[in-house]
Amino acid sequence: MLLFKVSALFFITTATNPCYFYASGFCGAMLRVASPPLATATTDDRASFFALPSMSNDDAGPSDYDLNDLSPVKKTVAVDLNDDDARIRDELKRELLLLSSVTNRGEFASREERDIFIDLITQLEAMNPTVDPALHCEGDWELCCTNTQAFRSSPFFMAIRSVLDPNMARNAFDIHARATSVSQIGRVRQSISKDSLVSEVNLDVGVFPGIPIKIKGTVITEADLTMIAPEKHQVRIQKTKVKGSNIPFLDQYLDDYPIQLPVGETYERFMGSVPVSTMKTFYVDEGLRITRDEDDNYFVFVRA
């Protein structure tokens, strides 16, 4: 019953959204992963979940990291106030930004490069220079790299993840990414204030494979933000809208009269409450922020 409620909710919020319609295949994905029941995942199965569909698999050798090492039982925030470590942090950040640029935010990273990402990010998190990092996330940020699909940094997809079983969500997001492989995700931004998060995702959506017709637009999702720990926020989605669309006859109308979909209210009506997602920040300084979702996927943002 929960699965069908989520599917119906997703259809309502995407079918009326001129840019999120590209995600309509997601409903079918959720139904496919629900039947038959999921078998117990093997190590190889779990490893395939971590690899993005477009990531390179040209490295046949084993990874330097064991998959089970990537998700510690409990991760705590570290604070490094040693001024002598500033130079080391700068070198780590330069290497991280360079690797992000040559791998398209990590999307085309090889197995070896993915290991390097993990090593750089883990070192930076251990050298976090800011006390209470969640308290210092305010400002405008642009996504630099991630080890999962970039669209998952949006509260829209955070909410979907929060109401699904972890394995079901991972399968569904993977199938969704493959089903929309003709689409491109442009700039991904977050604007954070004390009690709110505004996500902007630029989309270049292929209508049909092989047909050179694309719909463009920026999907803007707003959510409430509540700090509950030195490194943790709770995220509750509120509404979403589209701007800058190139849909014929609708583009100017959508810019002048944006349609705001009350996603939070829709969840409340269908599910009884608004899903609560978590966003954990283990590193932040004046120019870079490392945030993880509830599945421990990392999202590295640079200040815009």
Side-chain angles (χ1 to χ4, degrees), residues 242-303:
V242 175
K243 75 172 184 179
S245 173
N246 68 337
I247 300 177
F249 309 111
L250 286 179
D251 50 355
Q252 189 61 50
Y253 179 83
L254 289 173
D255 284 342
D256 294 340
Y257 307 98
I259 301 174
Q260 299 205 29
L261 302 178
V263 183
E265 292 180 11
T266 307
Y267 268 112
E268 199 158 12
R269 179 174 300 176
F270 274 75
M271 312 292 294
S273 63
V274 179
V276 178
S277 308
T278 57
M279 187 174 76
K280 298 165 288 185
T281 301
F282 293 104
Y283 182 96
V284 67
D285 62 20
E286 67 281 354
L288 188 137
R289 172 170 62 92
I290 301 174
T291 294
R292 293 180 182 262
D293 64 12
E294 54 192 279
D295 293 320
D296 210 38
N297 296 308
Y298 63 76
F299 299 88
V300 180
F301 289 87
V302 293
R303 197 173 290 277

Side-chain angles (χ1 to χ4, degrees), residues 31 94 120 157 188 230:
L31 293 174
R94 277 195 294 270
L120 292 171
F157 288 97
V188 177

Side-chain angles (χ1 to χ4, degrees), residues 70-145:
L70 304 184
S71 300
V73 175
K74 183 176 181 180
K75 188 177 179 68
T76 58
V77 63
V79 180
D80 181 6
L81 300 179
N82 187 347
D83 293 337
D84 294 336
D85 288 338
R87 181 181 59 82
I88 300 175
R89 278 195 295 268
D90 288 342
E91 292 176 356
L92 292 172
K93 289 192 293 183
R94 277 195 294 270
E95 188 172 352
L96 178 61
L97 295 175
L98 177 60
L99 188 58
S100 299
S101 66
V102 299
T103 60
N104 190 34
R105 294 187 299 212
E107 183 178 2
F108 300 112
S110 66
R111 183 184 297 269
E112 181 181 356
E113 289 168 331
R114 295 200 296 273
D115 286 346
I116 295 173
F117 269 120
I118 293 171
D119 188 43
L120 292 171
I121 289 170
T122 301
Q123 290 188 64
L124 282 170
E125 288 177 330
M127 301 177 70
N128 166 55
T130 307
V131 178
D132 296 340
L135 198 60
H136 297 84
C137 293
E138 295 185 19
D140 298 326
W141 303 89
E142 183 162 344
L143 184 66
C144 168
C145 66

